[in-house]
Amino acid sequence: NAGVTQTPKFRILKIGQSMTLQCTQDMNHNYMYWYRQDPGMGLKLIYYSVGAGITDKGEVPNGYNVSRSTTEDFPLRLELAAPSQTSVYFCASSYKGLETQYFGPGTRLLVL
Amino acid sequence: AQSVAQPEDQVNVAEGNPLTVKCTYSVSGNPYLFWYVQYPNRGLQFLLKYITGDNLVKGSYGFEAEFNKSQTSFHLKKPSALVSDSALYFCAVRDTYSGNTGKLIFGQGTTLQVKP
């Protein structure tokens, strides 16, 4: 049982480039979440999904897109990278909405 | 607005001494409260949660937390700190306006430093 896995671990992007952060969970969880973590700011919710085919915006969705075609995968897309998107990104999942969320190891993104 | 506050950026404690990491919250309705720990360059690990019932919640690695409704607090405690407890600790509360989506509101985090 790998839990929640994220790739890549680290990436450097140039301004205006695009990329997809991958997130996969093998726990058959219905709910999945994307957060960003900035120093001294805690975690902010970017997007979430309550099941395959259903996604919704969180607190800071601008500049990001998501899709949820399968229960296991929840990729996060950055279309036009900006320095403000330099952050650490965490994916999380839970079986139900009120259950404990389990986090992946994170992706560190640097936009220059 | 719903929020979580961790009033201390850093807590320093000597190994073997008790530790407390503070958390206060502001939500409408019944709070669902969580504590997570983050070790350097790692993801968040679940420690414990309060949903309902006994106000003293026991969790992983000897940690416990006390829910105090009148003070709207959920402080994390451990009777005897270990150097290996040094990490970043996050308090979180379920966003009660979001139904069953499970959206969490996180505090800004408290760094715990345990010195030998």
Side-chain angles (χ1 to χ4, degrees):
Chain A
N1 220 356
V4 180
T5 57
Q6 292 183 239
T7 57
K9 290 185 179 179
F10 176 66
R11 180 79 180 267
I12 299 175
L13 279 184
K14 294 182 179 179
I15 294 172
Q17 286 186 319
S18 62
M19 77 165 292
T20 299
L21 283 67
Q22 301 292 346
C23 174
T24 299
Q25 52 90 11
D26 63 358
M27 297 175 283
N28 200 32
H29 284 173
N30 295 311
Y31 291 70
M32 296 187 75
Y33 309 85
W34 273 107
Y35 295 90
R36 59 176 288 171
Q37 181 184 25
D38 300 307
M41 299 293 290
L43 278 74
K44 303 290 185 185
L45 182 65
I46 305 171
Y47 270 95
Y48 67 98
S49 168
V50 300
I54 307 170
T55 63
D56 206 348
K57 296 177 181 179
E59 188 180 358
V60 290
N62 291 344
Y64 308 94
N65 274 302
V66 293
S67 59
R68 183 96 183 271
S69 57
T70 67
T71 299
E72 295 78 18
D73 300 307
F74 190 41
L76 178 71
R77 178 90 178 154
L78 283 71
E79 291 294 348
L80 291 170
S84 60
Q85 294 177 304
T86 293
S87 188
V88 182
Y89 292 84
F90 289 102
C91 179
S93 72
S94 64
Y95 180 60
K96 296 180 181 178
L98 301 184
E99 298 290 325
T100 300
Q101 292 182 24
Y102 294 91
F103 284 77
T107 294
R108 187 175 297 273
L109 177 66
L110 181 59
V111 182
L112 299 174
Chain B
Q2 301 186 94
S3 63
V4 175
Q6 294 178 241
E8 301 153 318
D9 289 336
Q10 182 158 327
V11 170
N12 298 309
V13 65
E15 187 174 32
N17 283 0
L19 69 88
T20 298
V21 183
K22 295 180 180 178
C23 172
T24 59
Y25 65 90
S26 174
V27 295
S28 60
N30 295 322
Y32 286 25
L33 293 152
F34 300 81
W35 275 103
Y36 286 87
V37 60
Q38 184 181 31
Y39 297 101
N41 300 313
R42 304 286 295 276
L44 277 69
Q45 295 180 28
F46 169 73
L47 278 179
L48 52 80
K49 65 182 177 184
Y50 172 83
I51 303 298
T52 186
D54 196 348
N55 289 343
L56 186 63
V57 180
K58 294 189 183 296
S60 307
Y61 313 121
F63 283 94
E64 57 189 28
E66 186 170 10
F67 171 66
N68 188 316
K69 187 173 183 178
S70 62
Q71 296 186 5
T72 62
S73 66
F74 189 55
H75 300 332
L76 182 70
K77 300 181 180 183
K78 188 174 182 181
S80 179
L82 299 172
V83 172
S84 57
D85 292 330
S86 299
L88 182 58
Y89 290 80
F90 288 100
C91 180
V93 66
R94 181 180 67 92
D95 181 347
T96 57
Y97 291 150
S98 66
N100 292 334
T101 62
K103 291 165 67 175
L104 293 177
I105 301 167
F106 282 85
Q108 73 272 28
T110 298
T111 298
L112 173 65
Q113 189 81 275
V114 182
K115 299 191 176 179

